[in-house]
Amino acid sequence: MSTSELVAALRRRGVTDVDDSDLARALYSSDASLYRVLPQAVARPRDTDEVLAVLDASRELGVPVTMRGAGTSIAGNAVGPGIVIDTVRHLNRVLEIDPEARTARIEPGLVHARLQAAAAPHGLRFGPDPSTHTRCTIGGMIGNNACGSRALGYGRTADNVEQLRVAFGTGEVVTAGPGAPAGAAGEALTRMVEDQLGHVRTHFGRFSRQVSGYSLEHLLPEQGRRLDRFLVGTEGTLATVLEATVDLVPDDEERLLLVLGYPSMPEAADAVPALLAAAPGRLIACEGIDARIVDLVAQRGGVPELPRGSGWLFCEATGADAAEVLATVQAESGALDARLVRDGGEAAALWRIREDGAGLAARSLATPAYSGWEDAAVPPERLGDWLRDFDVLLADHGLEGIPYGHFGDGCLHVRIDFPFAAGDPSSTGTYRAFLQACASRLTEYGGSLSGEHGDGRQRSELLATMYDDTSLALFGAAKAICDPDNLLNPGNIVDPAPIDADLRPVRPRHDPPTALRLLHDDGSLGDAVHRCTGVGKCVAPSPGGVMCPSYAATREEKDATRGRARVLQEALDGSLLGGVTDPAVHEALDLCLSCKGCASDCPTGVDMATYKSEVLHQSYRGRRRLSRPRSHYTLGQLPRWARMTAPVARVANASLRIGPVARMAKAVAGVDQRRSLPTFARRTLRRSAREVEPVERPDVWVWADSFTNHFLPESGLAAIEYLRAVGLSVRVIDERACCALPWVTTGQLDAARGILGDAVERLAPYVAGGAPVLAIEPSCLASLRTDARELLEGDAVEQVADGVLSFAELVERLDLPLPDLTGVRVVAQPHCHHHAVIGWGADEALLRRAGADVTRVKGCCGLAGNWGVEQGHYETSVAVAETHLLPAVRDALAADAQTVVLADGMSCQLQLDDLAGVRAQHLAELFASRAATEVPTA
């Protein structure tokens, strides 16, 4: 069956959202696992009828179907040949919430966090909550029988399903639940179990995390012959979920966290049985976390205080007596030290470490670590011994791994440094040998290969180690009843693919020389893009940081950090796309704002802005000048044109107010006609400073970056005014020093290296002189701290990167008096580079210490320097601004017209002015306006 025939067949059946492009196939070829299978096409059905139409085409044409939710499956459960059905795009609704029955009826592509948000007004929640809860789908959770950190209290997904409407591989559609007709497939499955009652009772459901294989215990008469719950965890190999009704539980706001410290992770695991016995049924979570993961988080920001130890248990209880329950648990814990966390913000910060565990663990060793032996489980009373044996197994195979996980349920997560080598099939030998050894040893503990992620391609072959021949025959019989033609997610559970087949390259086959140093990956672009493990924090519908503002606007996989990384991996692995110059690569990168949000928000440290600069450099290097977009020569060299325009700024501004002239200028520059053009400063910051009597040895030097100098000198003048008001002498550096940011973001890296080199050379003596050097524009400062290090080497680079300060950093370092901002309401949009590189914590702390009421806007403004004004980006730029910034500003000003809108970045200020008619202030302007009229307070 050719791909064109397949697509035509789907469209004849009314399935219009079908994509068989190389870009789509690359995006959907992998999930969060080590596996890669190229689909023929991707279908995104708009309703249940279209899902059934896809399944009908599958049966008629003999083409396999794989269901996909958020693509966060770690075992390779969501990749397959033929058709991949993406449920997230359209099948994502809450159909009904019944508060009295405490149930929710939902579509399979509904994201977990969206269900929680819908249930919250009723005081309810869905119990299981995987670490990927911000983006995983309920359908995916049903496929894998997902559990999460609080399954100890709320159970697995199977325990929370009330009814499923499904389509079997035969085409039969049934509604399965208590008392619901089972249909022909359900009746046949019931008879199959009736014939093997003794075997099913003794081999299945032995402990809560026995998730591997098919959970036949749910079909037992004493379990109510629950076909719906049996289908949970079958990974879409027997039936396709069309609709689900799930149970909801009361969401108790009385929640406390007890952190217990132990000398090691095995010793933490040893304590678990006593903790569970101390408070039977009262702990809703008992999670283990390793010191190496915590240390990695500490390097990137801050970690709330933890008790003494190298391994910790996070124990959570709810209810009015939660403190008493946890006191009893602590008394029986045998811990080195303990801490009861009462502050909700601190508890949330600690839980975020656990939620980011998979991504953090992948980068916590000297070499990259991978999934593979990801979520095996044993009865909790045997966990300590299993951990010790597991450490021996690692050592025997020359491997390292960092364990963490759901210790209260006996479920262990780990990422392991398997020695995969690019283009070397033999490098998978260690992977196979280790997994086989672990599976064999696990049987001695009565354990399960999977405790919540499913078997997928990673463990299905190993089921013959865990289960006997009778059990395996029952799995085959169930498959024959429900999917006799093996079209639903083939290669998983029954008739499995080998565990070392379809492994995607995790090291690049092709690794071109780079202009950037790529410091966090030793100069390898291939290793850099393979940082992405697919955990998908970037595809959360409501991200908490900045990462992937374009995805927040478009909801297209290609516009997420993960999607772009996958496309770059395909380009460098050379199997589908033709290198970094392939049109699919440029399509995926087109809506990347170079915001650098992923550099700080992605758990594995993907820095797509840097990779985009390198790709653009390689794509256009050595080609004729006109091959680049016009905007690269205009907006991408804006500081140069601003410098040339400075002597005639008034004339230029007047000319650009003439309609035809403005339209022509925009067309020539590659600017969208709906955009306003920035106004050139009539007097630059450096020129204004020359008119003030210079101070020979000032207390503070001000760096006049290109944007502040030529467009927003009032921000620099305000900083000078405030600093003088608090008694400091200030002087503007008179030498031109440009950070080259527009050249960097447009991939003009050879020119950027020269411009940045000059800037470092000119700024270094001032930094070395001892007086602090102040940067006004956060993106320029961020360029000194990141891009300069990527393009240049030497002590001067490090001195300048570390020695130039933001306004808030300067005020904090010198411990300067603060203006009285009591009663001042501030809604602040941190520049993306400020958030990602500099950090906005100092700014927020100063504002709060000064008495301001601060609301920090999430996400990106959507302008991002040249990107948002370029032709072809306007709609997405506006959509990004509407995700967070514009609604926040509108709401704040509607509530209080005197609210101060704060935005240090020129891009953010221009976006607010252009789209909302709001004049935003720099932090220095706010401080100066108050310092001029009020007595500063210490």
Side-chain angles (χ1 to χ4, degrees):
M1 167 62 59
S2 72
T3 298
S4 59
E5 291 174 316
L6 172 62
V7 171
L10 291 171
R11 288 182 173 152
R12 280 198 305 272
R13 288 169 168 81
V15 185
T16 57
D17 194 350
V18 183
D19 193 343
D20 64 339
S21 67
D22 285 350
L23 176 60
R25 297 175 68 215
L27 290 169
Y28 288 85
S29 65
S30 188
D31 49 16
S33 74
L34 289 171
Y35 294 89
R36 171 187 175 275
V37 180
L38 280 172
Q40 281 184 269
V42 177
R44 301 193 292 195
R46 298 178 183 277
D47 53 36
T48 297
D49 288 343
E50 288 195 15
V51 176
L52 294 174
V54 174
L55 296 175
D56 178 68
S58 163
R59 290 191 300 276
E60 180 180 317
L61 303 174
V63 177
V65 169
T66 298
M67 297 295 287
R68 177 182 170 112
T72 56
S73 306
I74 294 179
N77 329 61
V79 295
I83 308 165
V84 169
I85 296 181
D86 178 349
T87 62
V88 173
R89 183 65 171 171
H90 304 297
L91 301 175
N92 54 19
R93 296 178 298 160
V94 176
L95 300 173
E96 180 185 14
I97 297 281
D98 186 337
E100 292 186 7
R102 292 181 179 174
T103 60
R105 189 165 60 88
I106 57 95
E107 293 179 323
L110 176 70
V111 170
H112 179 281
R114 290 287 173 86
L115 175 57
Q116 301 295 49
H122 306 288
L124 300 172
R125 58 164 286 152
F126 185 57
D129 57 349
S131 61
T132 54
H133 62 90
T134 59
R135 60 270 192 197
C136 71
T137 64
I138 303 300
M141 293 178 66
I142 290 170
N144 295 348
N145 197 6
C147 301
S149 298
R150 296 184 174 91
L152 188 63
Y154 299 129
R156 307 159 300 176
T157 298
D159 304 317
N160 291 271
V161 164
E162 196 60 30
Q163 191 175 84
L164 293 179
R165 182 167 179 253
V166 301
F168 288 105
T170 58
E172 180 184 27
V173 177
V174 304
T175 298
E187 292 174 2
L189 289 167
T190 299
R191 289 194 299 271
M192 180 190 77
V193 170
E194 290 285 348
D195 291 341
Q196 293 287 343
L197 285 177
H199 183 85
V200 173
R201 283 172 175 146
T202 54
H203 287 74
F204 294 90
R206 292 177 287 106
F207 71 108
S208 66
R209 290 301 183 102
Q210 185 183 346
V211 167
S212 277
Y214 293 149
S215 298
L216 294 167
E217 71 273 14
H218 292 294
L219 296 174
L220 290 167
E222 60 266 31
Q223 298 289 343
R225 297 189 177 94
R226 292 293 298 269
L227 175 62
D228 54 341
R229 295 186 173 181
F230 161 70
L231 291 173
V232 176
T234 57
E235 303 179 34
T237 61
L238 303 181
T240 297
V241 176
L242 305 174
E243 188 179 294
T245 300
V246 296
D247 291 323
L248 304 175
V249 297
D251 189 10
D252 196 334
E253 294 183 0
E254 297 286 338
R255 185 176 292 166
L256 286 178
L257 174 65
L258 174 68
V259 183
L260 301 168
Y262 296 88
S264 67
M265 294 302 287
E267 287 165 286
D270 289 338
V272 168
L275 304 185
L276 300 180
R282 290 305 310 277
L283 290 180
I284 64 169
C286 181
E287 298 291 293
I289 196 79
D290 187 275
R292 288 168 290 183
I293 292 177
V294 173
D295 289 344
L296 190 64
V297 178
Q299 293 169 18
R300 300 171 61 177
V303 174
E305 179 186 352
L306 288 170
R308 185 163 46 95
S310 293
W312 294 277
L313 294 178
F314 290 7
C315 300
E316 190 173 77
T318 62
D321 63 342
E324 289 79 5
V325 170
L326 293 177
T328 302
V329 168
Q330 182 179 341
E332 299 296 323
S333 67
L336 290 174
D337 195 6
R339 180 171 178 240
L340 184 65
V341 182
R342 295 182 177 274
D343 180 78
E346 283 194 68
L350 289 169
W351 279 116
R352 276 195 295 274
I353 299 172
R354 172 61 191 85
E355 289 169 7
D356 287 345
L360 294 169
R363 291 287 159 180
S364 295
L365 299 173
T367 55
Y370 308 100
S371 61
W373 188 258
E374 174 57 35
D375 66 313
V378 298
E381 61 271 15
R382 308 204 67 183
L383 182 60
D385 290 339
W386 167 240
L387 266 174
R388 292 180 180 88
D389 257 7
F390 186 71
D391 282 342
V392 172
L393 286 166
L394 285 169
D396 287 348
H397 290 82
L399 300 171
E400 284 189 82
I402 298 178
Y404 64 99
H406 314 299
F407 279 30
D409 290 302
C411 183
L412 175 70
H413 296 309
V414 65
R415 292 293 169 108
I416 301 170
D417 61 346
F418 295 112
F420 296 122
D424 180 6
S426 66
S427 68
T428 64
T430 300
Y431 175 76
R432 167 173 279 280
F434 180 77
L435 264 59
Q436 289 176 323
C438 282
S440 178
R441 186 71 58 86
L442 187 72
T443 61
E444 300 173 17
Y445 288 85
S448 178
L449 296 166
S450 171
E452 63 178 341
H453 291 157
D455 299 306
R457 293 170 182 272
Q458 205 158 61
R459 288 178 287 267
S460 291
E461 183 192 350
L462 301 174
L463 288 171
T465 304
M466 177 179 168
Y467 286 107
D468 63 7
D469 290 343
T470 301
S471 297
L472 295 173
L474 287 171
F475 296 164
K479 180 74 168 176
I481 290 169
C482 300
D483 182 33
D485 295 325
N486 193 24
L487 293 175
L488 299 184
N489 210 6
N492 296 283
I493 303 182
V494 173
D495 191 18
I499 58 175
D500 50 2
D502 303 319
L503 286 172
R504 65 178 172 85
V506 293
R507 303 297 299 276
R509 291 194 179 100
H510 308 289
D511 208 359
T514 60
L516 295 168
R517 297 171 67 197
L518 298 175
L519 295 170
H520 65 352
D521 289 285
D522 298 323
S524 168
L525 179 62
D527 285 352
V529 301
H530 279 85
R531 277 179 168 266
C532 178
T533 59
V535 294
K537 188 176 181 180
C538 52
V539 298
S542 300
V546 168
M547 180 167 49
C548 281
S550 54
Y551 177 80
T554 69
R555 300 297 180 201
E556 294 280 358
E557 179 75 15
K558 72 178 179 64
D559 298 324
T561 300
R562 179 180 69 180
R564 294 179 180 118
R566 287 287 184 253
V567 171
L568 284 170
Q569 289 168 7
E570 286 286 341
L572 293 175
D573 295 340
S575 51
L576 178 63
L577 304 179
V580 297
T581 62
D582 192 286
V585 172
H586 286 260
E587 183 179 350
L589 292 175
D590 180 50
L591 296 187
C592 172
L593 284 73
S594 296
C595 69
K596 284 193 176 290
C598 50
S600 62
D601 296 349
C602 172
T604 59
V606 169
D607 182 359
M608 194 55 62
T610 296
Y611 311 158
K612 179 179 181 179
S613 294
E614 182 63 46
V615 167
L616 291 174
H617 170 77
Q618 293 191 25
S619 297
Y620 297 117
R621 177 184 53 191
R623 296 171 63 183
R624 57 192 179 87
R625 287 181 60 84
L626 293 180
S627 66
R628 278 185 176 272
R630 288 196 310 278
S631 61
H632 286 197
Y633 297 110
T634 53
L635 302 171
Q637 298 180 18
L638 184 59
R640 171 181 293 170
W641 307 123
R643 187 173 71 251
M644 295 171 63
T645 305
V648 292
R650 293 191 182 192
V651 175
N653 291 334
S655 299
L656 292 174
R657 286 195 289 269
I658 301 171
V661 175
R663 287 192 292 274
M664 182 179 295
K666 291 176 186 177
V668 170
V671 172
D672 190 283
Q673 290 293 336
R674 291 163 286 187
R675 281 292 181 191
S676 300
L677 293 172
T679 301
F680 297 98
R682 290 186 294 177
R683 293 164 63 86
T684 66
L685 177 60
R686 283 203 298 271
R687 181 181 171 189
S688 297
R690 292 188 195 115
E691 298 176 3
V692 179
E693 184 176 349
V695 180
E696 189 66 29
R697 297 179 62 84
D699 297 314
V700 176
W701 287 102
V702 176
W703 168 40
D705 64 83
S706 297
F707 299 122
T708 303
N709 189 52
H710 291 291
F711 296 101
L712 296 173
E714 54 269 25
S715 299
L717 294 171
I720 294 169
E721 180 183 348
Y722 164 74
L723 293 171
R724 286 175 177 164
V726 298
L728 298 177
S729 60
V730 187
R731 185 172 171 183
V732 175
I733 295 173
D734 197 39
E735 297 177 73
R736 186 176 73 246
C738 180
C739 72
L741 180 60
W743 283 268
V744 172
T745 57
T746 54
Q748 301 176 78
L749 297 183
D750 292 333
R753 183 179 290 106
I755 295 167
L756 260 171
D758 290 343
V760 167
E761 183 179 349
R762 290 166 183 168
L763 292 175
Y766 295 95
V767 172
V773 178
L774 169 63
I776 304 297
E777 167 60 42
S779 63
C780 294
L781 175 57
S783 188
L784 290 184
R785 292 190 179 176
T786 57
D787 301 324
R789 284 173 161 141
E790 288 287 354
L791 287 164
L792 306 167
E793 296 183 64
D795 293 340
V797 177
E798 297 301 319
Q799 290 169 2
V800 169
D802 294 334
V804 182
L805 308 176
S806 72
F807 181 78
E809 289 173 337
L810 177 74
V811 173
E812 190 176 60
R813 179 174 297 186
L814 299 182
D815 194 21
L816 299 179
L818 305 181
D820 185 0
L821 300 180
T822 302
V824 176
R825 294 187 177 184
V826 174
V827 57
Q829 169 69 54
H831 190 285
C832 293
H833 291 187
H834 201 152
H835 161 86
V837 177
I838 305 163
W840 201 73
D843 303 66
E844 185 169 11
L846 288 180
L847 287 164
R848 295 194 186 281
R849 278 172 48 206
D853 177 4
V854 183
T855 299
R856 177 178 180 173
V857 179
K858 297 189 297 183
C860 174
C861 76
L863 191 68
N866 59 287
W867 182 89
V869 301
E870 289 177 346
Q871 293 171 3
H873 295 162
Y874 181 81
E875 286 80 7
T876 305
S877 175
V878 174
V880 171
E882 287 288 359
T883 56
H884 297 293
L885 175 60
L886 296 183
V889 170
R890 284 194 293 261
D891 292 347
L893 292 176
D896 182 356
Q898 301 304 311
T899 297
V900 174
V901 179
L902 205 64
D904 284 6
M906 176 178 165
S907 293
C908 308
Q909 293 188 30
L910 291 178
Q911 184 80 314
L912 283 163
D913 187 29
D914 214 23
L915 301 183
V918 172
R919 201 285 190 189
Q921 296 184 38
H922 191 285
L923 180 61
E925 293 180 88
L926 174 59
F927 274 33
S929 67
R930 297 288 166 156
T933 58
E934 304 190 23
V935 178
T937 58

